[in-house]
Structures are given as C-alpha cells and as structure tokens.
Amino acid sequence: MGWRLALRPYVLIVPALLLTCGILYPFGLGLYYTLFDFSASKPQPDMVRFENYETVFTQEAFWNSAWVTVLYAVGAAAVETVLGVAVALLLHRSSMVGRVLEKILILPLMIAPVIAAIIWKLMLQPSVGVINYLLRPFGLGGVQWTDTPTGALLSSIAVDVWVYTPFVAILALAGLRSLPASPFEAAAVDGAGWWYTFRRLTLPMLWPYVLVAVIFRFMDSLKVFDIIYALTEGGPGDSTVVLQIRAYLEAIRFQRYSFGISYTIVLWAVVYLAAMVLVKHLGKIQRKAAEVAAK
Amino acid sequence: MDMHVHDRRRFLALTAAAAATPLLAACGAGFGGDDSKSDGSAADDVTGSFDWKREKGTTVKALLNKHPYTDALIADLKSFTEKTGIKVEYDVFPEDNYFDKLTVDLSSGRASYDVFMLGAYMVWQYGPPGWLEDLGPWMRNSSATGAEWDQADFFPNLLQADQWSLKAGAPLGQGGQYALPWGWETNVVAYNTDVFKKLGLKPAETFDELREIAGTIKRKAPGAGFDGMYGIAVRGSRSWATIHPGFMTMYARNGLKDFTVQGGKLTPAMNTPQAVAFTEDWAGMVKQGGPPSWTSYTWYQCSSDLGAKKAGMLFDADTAAYFQAVEGASPASGKIAFHPGPKGPDGSLATNMWIWSLGMNAKSKKKSASWLFLQWATGKEHLRKSAITHNHIDPVRKSIADDSAYKDKMRHLPGFLETFETVVDQTKIQFTPQAQFFDATTSWASALQEIYGGQGAKGVLDGLAGDLADKVG
C-alpha cells in the first residue's frame, strides 16, 4: 500500500475534525467559564467549581423558567404536530387546491420568527390590533392578549404554531407521499373505512416522519428566545421567562457571564437528554412502521 | 495490520491533543481582553497650545443610537471634519439593540468604537470593569481642551450625573468623569388640551388627582368625541426603562428611596410600607386609566399614543411629548401642553432624569482625536445649532437654555419652558448608583407587572427586596 493511499483516510476526516473542533472549542470554553465567577465586575475571577450550578438549581427563578420552558415546548410541539398532520392529510387528499395551498403554506417559514412575533404583537394589540377588531362582532373585542400570564404564554405558543406548523405539515406530507400504496389498496378492497385505514395503516406508517418533526420542533421550542422576547420580553412578571431569556438576561444584560453560561449548559443538557430519548423512541417507531408496511 | 491500528490511534491521540491546545491556551489566557492598565492618563501626552487640527487625517469610529439628537449630530458632522480634519465613521442602531451591541462590544475588550452614546446609568455598569475613559484629565488639560468649551456652562447636576467614584452606593458627582452630558430629558406630564377643555379638567397637583383624572378621561373621553382615548400613558414593559421615567419621578416626589446605604452596604427599600402603598397606587392608576396592553408599553408607544390622541396624558420624558408636539409631527400637535406633574406630599418636585451622554472607549487607540470629537459634540457651537435648527432639546448648557433664539423656538409649546424652568433645579438621578442597576430595575418592572396583574404588592415587593439584597449586598 503506497503512503498516499494510507494517508487518504486521515485527509478525508480533516473537514469533519475541523468542524468538530469548531463546535467543541466554544462549548468547552463555555463549560470552563462556568467554573469561575466571571462577570463584568470581576474580570479576573476565582475558580468556584460548581457553585454557579448550585446557585442555578437553588434559585426559584430557575425552576419557574424550567417549568415555563417545558410548558411552552410541549404545548407548541403538540399543537403543531396535530395541526401539521391534519393539514398534510387535507393537502394529500385534494389535488389542485392542495398544490396551491402547499405554496402558500410555507410563507410563515420564510419570515424570521422575530419578525413574525412583531407582526403578531401588532395584531394582538387590544385597541388597534386586527384580532380584537375581528372578534368585536362576537362581543370579544376587549381581550388583553399578553397582559395576563396565561394569555402571554398562550399567545407566544400561538405565534410559534403559526410559524412552524407548515414545517410539520411539509414533513408529514412528504411522509404521506412516500407510503407504499399496496396496504391501502388491500384495505380498500376489504372495504375498510377512512378512520380505520387512518388509525391502522396511515398513522403507524407515518409515525417515523411525524416523530422526526416532533424531535425538531420540541428541541427548537426548548431553545426558544426570539418569539417570546419580541412578544412579551418575558412578562408579565416572570410568566414567560424561558431558560434562554434568563440566560440572555444574566449573561448579556446583567453581565454575569459565568452564571448566564451555566443556564445555557443546563438547557443544553436538557435538550440533549430529551433528544436522546426521542431518537431512541424513533428507532422503535421506525421498526413498527416497517412491520405494518410489510403486512 | 496491527501496526496500522496503532498508527491510527496515535494519529487520533495527537489530533485530540492539538485540538485541546487552543482550549487550554484560552483557559490560561484569562477572560477576554487584557487587563493591562496604565496608571497615567493618555491626556497627559497632549502638550503645547490647544489646536483643533492636532489630529488631522485621523478617523474616529462612533457607535450611535437612532434618535433625533443623533440626526442633528450627523447633519452637522461636516463642520467637525472641516474644523479638525478628522473623519467620523459611525454605525447607528435602534434603541432595542443599541445597548446590547455596546455592552458586547465593550466587554470584548476591543476598540472597535472609539466613542459612543450612553446613559448615566450605564456608567455604573461600564465604569467598574474599566471600559470607560476617565475624561477628567482631558477636561483639566488646557492643551487638550479649548477655552471656549467652558465647563462651567453645563448644568452642574448633569455633569455630576456622569461622575462617579465606582463604589456602590457612593453619591454621584465624585470621582472620575466617565461621560459628558450631551442631551437630556426631564420627566413631566404632557396633556391633550382639547380633552382637558372638553371635560373641564386641570393638570393634577397631587398624585391622587392624577389618578382621578386618568380614570375620568378613560371613562368620559370616548363619549365626548375622543374615540378610544384612555387617561395616561406610562411605560410598562418588562424592562429597566419602565422604572426610571414617570414611576421613579413620582416615587422620589413621595420621598421614597430604592436603596438605603449604611456604611457602604445597600439595603433594598422598595418594600417599605410607604413604597408598597405607592406602588399599589401606581398600578391602580394604570388599571383605572392606563393603556390597554400596558405590559408591552415602551416610550415609543406612550409617545405615539399622545400624538395619536389615544392618550389624554403622558407622564414621561418631556422630549417624548415634544417630538409629538412639533408642528405637523402628529394629529395632536398644537394640542399638547406641558406641566411639571403632581407634587409630593411635602410639595416636592424631585424629578428623575435621563441623560444621553457621550463616552470614550478606554481601549481606544485614538483618544486624542476622540476627545476632540467629544469636545466639539458637547461644545456650544454644535449644540446651539442642533437645538435651534434641529430637535436637540433639552439643552445641557445653560447658555443655550437661555438663548433667545432657542426660547423663541420653544415658546409656542404651551407650558414647555415654564415646566422646564420649574423642575430643572430639582431634576437629578434619583436612583442609588450601583453596578446591579439593570438587574434591580428589570426585576422591579417585573414586580410592577405582577402587582398590576393582581398579586399582593407587599408579597411581591418583599420577594423583590429579598432577591436584590443578595445581589447588591
């Protein structure tokens, strides 16, 4: 074997290696910083080991933010999944209208989430917003959408749903179009109804695609910042201060760098664990889907 | 074959070590920027007679916030370049992002901007880490500073607001001069004269009257031809900026403090019985007569609601009302009048202020040229031109505030000059200087939102004080 041939595998892994270093370097540096009390008021800090994490976990503010983050992520991912699959089923059934709607459907995905949040902020404005204007004939024109804790959280989830439901729908639609035709033909011959076919054939075979969308959306929703910050800034009170907003406030606004990074490391761990569980589950779902298709 | 495996392992081990090297090097290198500090000021290097052309050919980089004051500055930059031969490059950011950009830039330890706009509160955050140049030595050096700059011409409370010893709780007006006042705002009540006339109202002299008037307008104005009008526009977003204008002004007029200081130790005082009662009343006023969706209200919304005839009153910066009152600026222009606002129980007109100041990056490599720029931008010639031909009000210099051309320009606004003259001597920073200012006031705004939402004021403010005691103590 010539030396060029022997060297080839090492040369080929260089881009991946550089990429890995590019990811690991800032991550490792961030992790290292959390072991210090680094802040603007202490630019040459002492090592405090895990004190920042201890403080994070003993803070009521952290548990409040963690709870809000989970509520947001579960709420947004669940609604987007149900709506996304429903939209995909509708588009899959109709032909010409479906093709036109498909094009329109992706419009929210072309808008930056922060811009979408600002547009919705204007639309939800109680006195001049279009939402209350449309609700006025039904006697509901005075709703203060983001002035109450529940309203603010639901409004934020609604914006997320508006932006990202098309993403789920597109993935689900791609899944629907790739399903094998033979099980459905057999079901039709047997005289199976729509609901039976959907429950016993479509959904089991579609699950892997849906779960991929859920994984993406759940992980993204856990890391949400832009939509909530543009819509409510985390208010009223602390009702929409998710972990990312808390981390931003600590690290950038209040300049407690180490403490702020500790929040992001905790969030990273949560997202990583959630993703691991979901991906493991995805494998099982894929095997089940393959079994249904093979029957 | 076996040898091959060993080679691969060795290669991977070496690569991992190479990847870890910068990480370890970074760990040893410290935490951003260098901490080398010079004992002397760069101002000492400037000798000889004062000369505007001393730094001819230099380029100064400025970071600016989008604001009418900035527009006036940019419009006049040509004069500066003609006078000094110094070119100014600038970036302008909207206020929502401006301070994040500035904070990140300064904390990186780079000198990407030589000069920038900042508020006096930012001195408390940027001063202690050593990011701001102490301008005192520059001001005192007659080789660096021309005689016509005339330091005594500034309103003394404004110069003092940017001067601090960097010690938490220490009063302003001592220690380094970390920025120069450039444009400022005093917080007063502006009101729609049409609705006041129609409803037979007079500007409030007490806080109880203000709450009552706000409620009256919200109840009666829509039926009197002012469709959708509410009583009073005040800020409500979950931000430090909610606390400092109307709220802090009225809080101070009631003789209340944010912190008490004993032996250099700060104790939060937002939960004293008097402070709790006042905060409850403020939240009550917003509920009775404030804007819908108050929790998202920034100065932009407050100001534009007054201009759009949606708000009967505005308790905020006089400039926020002025920009709407200027002829042709809004549907309400010509119908906006100014009043000092309610007095405290003892007749106090203590008023909180905001100062747009100009500061210099301590890491700047062009300090001499930067100082010439700051000197020009805060000098009489530029500020007079900006005040008279643009909207750079309130003047930071007494000579401009007294200038007949300026007064003639402002006279058509009912009550503006009288209000300014009434409160100017009692306007100062009412907060206690300390580095955790932004955390404290953001949490305070959050507490205010919770009280507005119906939670008990005492419990919320006790929680706030307890949380802050650990952070500032």
Side-chain angles (χ1 to χ4, degrees), chain B residues 128 164-171 264 266 432-435:
Chain B
W164 192 38
S165 64
L166 307 182
K167 290 189 181 76
L266 273 69
T432 307
Q434 47 96 17

PDB file of all heavy atoms in Angstrom, chain B residues 128 164-171 264 266 432-435:
ATOM      1  N   PRO B 128     -17.058  50.277  36.436  1.00  0.00           N
ATOM      2  CA  PRO B 128     -16.256  49.386  37.287  1.00  0.00           C
ATOM      3  C   PRO B 128     -15.328  48.413  36.532  1.00  0.00           C
ATOM      4  O   PRO B 128     -14.206  48.191  36.976  1.00  0.00           O
ATOM      5  CB  PRO B 128     -17.315  48.646  38.118  1.00  0.00           C
ATOM      6  CG  PRO B 128     -18.454  49.613  38.203  1.00  0.00           C
ATOM      7  CD  PRO B 128     -18.469  50.315  36.877  1.00  0.00           C
ATOM      8  N   TRP B 164     -18.573  59.566  38.929  1.00  0.00           N
ATOM      9  CA  TRP B 164     -18.807  58.572  39.987  1.00  0.00           C
ATOM     10  C   TRP B 164     -17.482  58.011  40.484  1.00  0.00           C
ATOM     11  O   TRP B 164     -16.509  57.929  39.718  1.00  0.00           O
ATOM     12  CB  TRP B 164     -19.690  57.433  39.436  1.00  0.00           C
ATOM     13  CG  TRP B 164     -20.243  56.492  40.468  1.00  0.00           C
ATOM     14  CD1 TRP B 164     -20.690  56.813  41.712  1.00  0.00           C
ATOM     15  CD2 TRP B 164     -20.400  55.083  40.330  1.00  0.00           C
ATOM     16  NE1 TRP B 164     -21.135  55.686  42.361  1.00  0.00           N
ATOM     17  CE2 TRP B 164     -20.974  54.603  41.531  1.00  0.00           C
ATOM     18  CE3 TRP B 164     -20.145  54.169  39.312  1.00  0.00           C
ATOM     19  CZ2 TRP B 164     -21.265  53.258  41.752  1.00  0.00           C
ATOM     20  CZ3 TRP B 164     -20.440  52.833  39.529  1.00  0.00           C
ATOM     21  CH2 TRP B 164     -21.003  52.385  40.733  1.00  0.00           C
ATOM     22  N   SER B 165     -17.489  57.576  41.745  1.00  0.00           N
ATOM     23  CA  SER B 165     -16.264  57.003  42.333  1.00  0.00           C
ATOM     24  C   SER B 165     -16.170  55.496  42.115  1.00  0.00           C
ATOM     25  O   SER B 165     -15.223  54.869  42.583  1.00  0.00           O
ATOM     26  CB  SER B 165     -16.238  57.301  43.834  1.00  0.00           C
ATOM     27  OG  SER B 165     -17.326  56.640  44.459  1.00  0.00           O
ATOM     28  N   LEU B 166     -17.150  54.914  41.425  1.00  0.00           N
ATOM     29  CA  LEU B 166     -17.212  53.475  41.124  1.00  0.00           C
ATOM     30  C   LEU B 166     -17.500  52.618  42.357  1.00  0.00           C
ATOM     31  O   LEU B 166     -17.351  51.399  42.312  1.00  0.00           O
ATOM     32  CB  LEU B 166     -15.922  52.964  40.436  1.00  0.00           C
ATOM     33  CG  LEU B 166     -15.447  53.698  39.188  1.00  0.00           C
ATOM     34  CD1 LEU B 166     -14.199  53.031  38.612  1.00  0.00           C
ATOM     35  CD2 LEU B 166     -16.527  53.724  38.118  1.00  0.00           C
ATOM     36  N   LYS B 167     -17.879  53.258  43.460  1.00  0.00           N
ATOM     37  CA  LYS B 167     -18.204  52.479  44.666  1.00  0.00           C
ATOM     38  C   LYS B 167     -19.726  52.430  44.821  1.00  0.00           C
ATOM     39  O   LYS B 167     -20.389  53.468  44.808  1.00  0.00           O
ATOM     40  CB  LYS B 167     -17.587  53.139  45.906  1.00  0.00           C
ATOM     41  CG  LYS B 167     -16.075  53.032  45.950  1.00  0.00           C
ATOM     42  CD  LYS B 167     -15.553  53.500  47.304  1.00  0.00           C
ATOM     43  CE  LYS B 167     -14.038  53.411  47.343  1.00  0.00           C
ATOM     44  NZ  LYS B 167     -13.372  54.490  46.596  1.00  0.00           N
ATOM     45  N   ALA B 168     -20.256  51.195  44.995  1.00  0.00           N
ATOM     46  CA  ALA B 168     -21.707  51.028  45.108  1.00  0.00           C
ATOM     47  C   ALA B 168     -22.264  51.881  46.240  1.00  0.00           C
ATOM     48  O   ALA B 168     -21.737  51.859  47.360  1.00  0.00           O
ATOM     49  CB  ALA B 168     -22.038  49.561  45.361  1.00  0.00           C
ATOM     50  N   GLY B 169     -23.275  52.650  45.928  1.00  0.00           N
ATOM     51  CA  GLY B 169     -23.936  53.470  46.932  1.00  0.00           C
ATOM     52  C   GLY B 169     -23.321  54.842  47.128  1.00  0.00           C
ATOM     53  O   GLY B 169     -23.944  55.719  47.734  1.00  0.00           O
ATOM     54  N   ALA B 170     -22.097  55.049  46.589  1.00  0.00           N
ATOM     55  CA  ALA B 170     -21.457  56.364  46.730  1.00  0.00           C
ATOM     56  C   ALA B 170     -22.202  57.383  45.875  1.00  0.00           C
ATOM     57  O   ALA B 170     -22.634  57.047  44.768  1.00  0.00           O
ATOM     58  CB  ALA B 170     -20.004  56.281  46.304  1.00  0.00           C
ATOM     59  N   PRO B 171     -22.374  58.606  46.383  1.00  0.00           N
ATOM     60  CA  PRO B 171     -23.139  59.593  45.600  1.00  0.00           C
ATOM     61  C   PRO B 171     -22.435  59.992  44.310  1.00  0.00           C
ATOM     62  O   PRO B 171     -21.219  59.883  44.195  1.00  0.00           O
ATOM     63  CB  PRO B 171     -23.246  60.789  46.562  1.00  0.00           C
ATOM     64  CG  PRO B 171     -22.152  60.603  47.538  1.00  0.00           C
ATOM     65  CD  PRO B 171     -21.883  59.138  47.647  1.00  0.00           C
ATOM     66  N   GLY B 264     -21.635  51.859  53.370  1.00  0.00           N
ATOM     67  CA  GLY B 264     -21.323  51.276  52.055  1.00  0.00           C
ATOM     68  C   GLY B 264     -22.164  50.052  51.735  1.00  0.00           C
ATOM     69  O   GLY B 264     -22.015  49.454  50.669  1.00  0.00           O
ATOM     70  N   LEU B 266     -25.736  48.330  50.831  1.00  0.00           N
ATOM     71  CA  LEU B 266     -27.028  48.719  50.261  1.00  0.00           C
ATOM     72  C   LEU B 266     -28.134  47.778  50.748  1.00  0.00           C
ATOM     73  O   LEU B 266     -27.968  46.564  50.716  1.00  0.00           O
ATOM     74  CB  LEU B 266     -26.971  48.642  48.735  1.00  0.00           C
ATOM     75  CG  LEU B 266     -26.469  49.881  47.996  1.00  0.00           C
ATOM     76  CD1 LEU B 266     -25.000  50.105  48.245  1.00  0.00           C
ATOM     77  CD2 LEU B 266     -26.722  49.739  46.503  1.00  0.00           C
ATOM     78  N   THR B 432     -29.974  55.049  43.396  1.00  0.00           N
ATOM     79  CA  THR B 432     -28.691  54.882  44.085  1.00  0.00           C
ATOM     80  C   THR B 432     -27.715  54.219  43.112  1.00  0.00           C
ATOM     81  O   THR B 432     -28.022  53.151  42.574  1.00  0.00           O
ATOM     82  CB  THR B 432     -28.873  53.959  45.313  1.00  0.00           C
ATOM     83  OG1 THR B 432     -29.934  54.484  46.103  1.00  0.00           O
ATOM     84  CG2 THR B 432     -27.600  53.858  46.118  1.00  0.00           C
ATOM     85  N   PRO B 433     -26.574  54.849  42.884  1.00  0.00           N
ATOM     86  CA  PRO B 433     -25.642  54.256  41.903  1.00  0.00           C
ATOM     87  C   PRO B 433     -25.093  52.909  42.378  1.00  0.00           C
ATOM     88  O   PRO B 433     -24.606  52.809  43.504  1.00  0.00           O
ATOM     89  CB  PRO B 433     -24.503  55.283  41.831  1.00  0.00           C
ATOM     90  CG  PRO B 433     -25.026  56.513  42.463  1.00  0.00           C
ATOM     91  CD  PRO B 433     -26.065  56.099  43.442  1.00  0.00           C
ATOM     92  N   GLN B 434     -25.183  51.924  41.553  1.00  0.00           N
ATOM     93  CA  GLN B 434     -24.638  50.590  41.866  1.00  0.00           C
ATOM     94  C   GLN B 434     -24.641  49.746  40.601  1.00  0.00           C
ATOM     95  O   GLN B 434     -25.471  49.953  39.713  1.00  0.00           O
ATOM     96  CB  GLN B 434     -25.432  49.918  43.001  1.00  0.00           C
ATOM     97  CG  GLN B 434     -26.938  49.955  42.877  1.00  0.00           C
ATOM     98  CD  GLN B 434     -27.529  48.709  42.254  1.00  0.00           C
ATOM     99  OE1 GLN B 434     -26.878  47.674  42.176  1.00  0.00           O
ATOM    100  NE2 GLN B 434     -28.771  48.804  41.782  1.00  0.00           N
ATOM    101  N   ALA B 435     -23.693  48.814  40.546  1.00  0.00           N
ATOM    102  CA  ALA B 435     -23.459  48.068  39.297  1.00  0.00           C
ATOM    103  C   ALA B 435     -24.611  47.144  38.914  1.00  0.00           C
ATOM    104  O   ALA B 435     -24.741  46.770  37.751  1.00  0.00           O
ATOM    105  CB  ALA B 435     -22.162  47.267  39.418  1.00  0.00           C
TER     106      ALA B 435
END
